Amino acid sequence: MTKLSRKRWPLFRFLGNTFATQFVLPTRRLLFVILLGVLFAPVGFLFGMSFAFFWTYNSLLVIFSVIDLLMLPRRKQLEATRILPDRADINQPFTVSILLRNSGKQEVRVSLTDDLPLVFATDSIAALQGIAVDSNEKIVHYQTQSSARGSYVLQYLYLRYQGVLGLWTKQSRLEYAQSIRIYPDLSGVRGILGSLQQSLVIDGTRILKKAKTGTDFAYIREYTTDDDPRFINWTATARTNKLMTSVFQPEHGKIVTILLDCGRMMGVELDQRIKLDRSLEAALTLAAVALKQGDQVAVVAFSNILKVYVPVGRGLAHLQVILDAVYALQSDPEESNYSMALEYIMRNQRKRSLLVLFSDMESFLFEDQLVPYFIRMRRTHLLLLLSLQDPLLHGWTHSEVKDSRSAFIKSTAQKFTLDRKTYVQQMANRGIAVLDVAADQLALRAINYYLEIKSREAL
């Protein structure tokens, strides 16, 4: 049995999703009783009562079957309601609750499954079998998680229920459509929003802000040994009996423009996650930092077409606008049209901004038209090009040479690595920063560069 068929097996068991909305099926108990009658038939034959035994046994079986069918609750007497969160993070478990109501007088045993998309985990649904539901309400829970971002619809609930005798079971398909949005991993963003004013925390790493030379007053904090004595706040010191210092920051309201490449190369899997997922999470974390610093953020997502454009906005409320616009982005099988995206930025973003492009190094290397565009935009904007390192290429570069084949692979990997380093140096000579970093360092390096630019008043 393939992985896909195993994942869909709970739905295949409920024939209502394919053939009919309601169906009546025999239970294992009924099949066992029939088999038991077959086994005892030779006993009746030995005593010369084979026909009497046959008709008596089967007549009783038919009578009890009819009674069991008549005692089964009607479809309207059993209701099910799904309680589903509006949103969840990718690869993060969340709880789905199902409320069962039985308006009949008899207790029924219910088995159910949910219409989960293929990217959702279905392991815990197997436990929702044989649930006893009396005349009161009963709530059952199961946990699942999604391995892909986007908006998904859970269309149906599939129920099987049986009466007291348990010889027959009735199944029903309830149409109960609900949608849920699966967002990127927002742990880094929550770390930003929950961190103290004087520090940033990303993935458990604390990033101290660099000293700023601005003139706008920000806040007062306790004096440390690295602080400038000229900024000691003597009024606060006298009030608290502690040496306090005033912290100043550069002018707020600078613009950070984030470009997200959604082309073919960003759909490549990297450590069980595609590059676009990694870049999107880092971009959202950078946006949260910039908005918390008081700056403005705009977002452009593109492949061979313009997919998303979020105009410049400020304040943490703008982060939700960005999130709603980009959470369902998917990589396209086409090559990215960088010239279209950069021309769009030049037409719509005339003010100087920090332009951060999340893309792939291979696209930078083999797109000949990119360098003239970068040089032209460098006159107006401050550019930062971000790319994810290839761990496979890194492993081949440091692999042990055992034979001619491994030697060829290592030399080729070293050639590609050297090309990447050469490109980074060439762009640095033109005043354009390029960072080729590991996946787990992408957000940290982008934020550190942004904070350094802020500290130097480069914007």
Side-chain angles (χ1 to χ4, degrees), residues 375-394:
I375 295 176
R376 181 181 174 185
M377 298 197 71
R378 178 67 180 85
R379 302 170 187 170
T380 307
H381 303 278
L382 191 62
L383 294 179
L384 171 61
L385 311 182
L386 286 166
S387 172
L388 289 171
Q389 288 180 354
D390 190 344
L392 185 61
L393 185 64
H394 182 270

Side-chain angles (χ1 to χ4, degrees), residues 151-210:
S151 180
Y152 299 94
V153 177
L154 280 66
Q155 187 74 25
Y156 302 107
L157 279 170
Y158 302 97
L159 300 180
R160 278 186 179 176
Y161 48 95
Q162 51 186 288
V164 179
L165 299 180
L167 299 179
W168 294 90
T169 182
K170 182 183 291 186
Q171 70 174 31
S172 298
R173 184 185 69 180
L174 309 182
E175 187 168 355
Y176 198 81
Q178 287 180 292
S179 61
I180 181 172
R181 294 175 294 175
I182 302 300
Y183 281 19
D185 185 3
L186 301 179
S187 57
V189 176
R190 295 188 182 96
I192 294 298
L193 301 180
S195 59
L196 298 177
Q197 189 176 8
Q198 66 267 22
S199 65
L200 301 174
V201 178
I202 305 172
D203 294 335
T205 303
R206 187 174 182 226
I207 304 176
L208 293 177
K209 296 181 184 178
K210 295 177 172 57

Side-chain angles (χ1 to χ4, degrees), residues 171-295:
Q171 70 174 31
S172 298
R173 184 185 69 180
L174 309 182
E175 187 168 355
Y176 198 81
Q178 287 180 292
S179 61
I180 181 172
R181 294 175 294 175
I182 302 300
Y183 281 19
D185 185 3
L186 301 179
S187 57
V189 176
R190 295 188 182 96
I192 294 298
L193 301 180
S195 59
L196 298 177
Q197 189 176 8
Q198 66 267 22
S199 65
L200 301 174
V201 178
I202 305 172
D203 294 335
T205 303
R206 187 174 182 226
I207 304 176
L208 293 177
K209 296 181 184 178
K210 295 177 172 57
K212 298 179 173 60
T213 59
T215 57
D216 289 351
F217 174 78
Y219 53 90
I220 300 174
R221 60 171 172 80
E222 191 171 348
Y223 180 83
T224 61
T225 55
D226 295 332
D227 290 335
D228 193 334
R230 295 175 297 176
F231 296 145
I232 294 177
N233 192 313
W234 296 108
T235 302
T237 300
R239 184 171 61 251
T240 60
N241 291 327
K242 294 181 181 180
L243 197 58
M244 307 295 288
T245 182
S246 299
V247 178
F248 298 88
Q249 61 186 6
E251 180 184 357
H252 289 306
K254 302 302 181 180
I255 299 176
V256 178
T257 304
I258 298 175
L259 279 82
L260 280 168
D261 180 6
C262 302
R264 178 181 63 87
M265 295 301 297
M266 298 301 287
V268 177
E269 186 173 318
L270 185 66
D271 293 336
Q272 299 181 350
R273 303 279 303 279
I274 64 173
K275 293 183 178 180
L276 179 59
D277 285 347
R278 299 280 190 178
S279 299
L280 181 57
E281 292 165 7
L284 290 173
T285 308
L286 175 61
V289 173
L291 291 172
K292 190 173 183 180
Q293 295 286 312
D295 291 333

Side-chain angles (χ1 to χ4, degrees), residues 44-238:
F45 177 77
L46 293 177
F47 289 95
M49 297 184 299
S50 57
F51 286 101
F53 178 85
F54 174 81
W55 289 111
T56 303
Y57 190 88
N58 288 278
S59 298
L60 291 175
L61 184 60
V62 170
I63 292 173
F64 283 110
S65 296
V66 172
I67 294 174
D68 191 45
L69 286 172
L70 294 176
M71 293 177 63
L72 280 175
R74 296 181 179 179
R75 165 63 192 84
K76 296 181 179 180
Q77 294 178 343
L78 193 62
E79 298 179 1
T81 303
R82 185 195 304 112
I83 304 173
L84 184 69
D86 294 332
R87 50 180 284 185
D89 290 357
I90 185 173
N91 292 325
Q92 295 297 321
F94 59 92
T95 301
V96 180
S97 302
I98 298 179
L99 176 62
L100 299 172
R101 298 187 184 93
N102 179 18
S103 59
K105 299 181 180 180
Q106 298 180 353
E107 182 182 279
V108 294
R109 302 194 69 83
V110 179
S111 299
L112 59 89
T113 190
D114 209 343
D115 185 23
L116 293 179
L118 290 176
V119 296
F120 281 55
T122 59
D123 300 337
S124 61
I125 292 188
L128 304 181
Q129 308 295 323
I131 304 168
V133 182
D134 53 16
S135 57
N136 298 322
E137 297 181 349
K138 188 176 185 64
I139 298 180
V140 294
H141 311 276
Y142 71 90
Q143 281 196 336
T144 183
Q145 63 184 34
S146 175
S147 59
R149 295 176 289 101
S151 180
Y152 299 94
V153 177
L154 280 66
Q155 187 74 25
Y156 302 107
L157 279 170
Y158 302 97
L159 300 180
R160 278 186 179 176
Y161 48 95
Q162 51 186 288
V164 179
L165 299 180
L167 299 179
W168 294 90
T169 182
K170 182 183 291 186
Q171 70 174 31
S172 298
R173 184 185 69 180
L174 309 182
E175 187 168 355
Y176 198 81
Q178 287 180 292
S179 61
I180 181 172
R181 294 175 294 175
I182 302 300
Y183 281 19
D185 185 3
L186 301 179
S187 57
V189 176
R190 295 188 182 96
I192 294 298
L193 301 180
S195 59
L196 298 177
Q197 189 176 8
Q198 66 267 22
S199 65
L200 301 174
V201 178
I202 305 172
D203 294 335
T205 303
R206 187 174 182 226
I207 304 176
L208 293 177
K209 296 181 184 178
K210 295 177 172 57
K212 298 179 173 60
T213 59
T215 57
D216 289 351
F217 174 78
Y219 53 90
I220 300 174
R221 60 171 172 80
E222 191 171 348
Y223 180 83
T224 61
T225 55
D226 295 332
D227 290 335
D228 193 334
R230 295 175 297 176
F231 296 145
I232 294 177
N233 192 313
W234 296 108
T235 302
T237 300

Side-chain angles (χ1 to χ4, degrees), residues 424-442:
V424 171
Q425 185 60 44
Q426 290 175 351
M427 299 303 290
N429 295 337
R430 294 185 171 97
I432 300 173
V434 180
L435 298 179
D436 189 25
V437 298
D440 58 346
Q441 295 293 316
L442 184 61

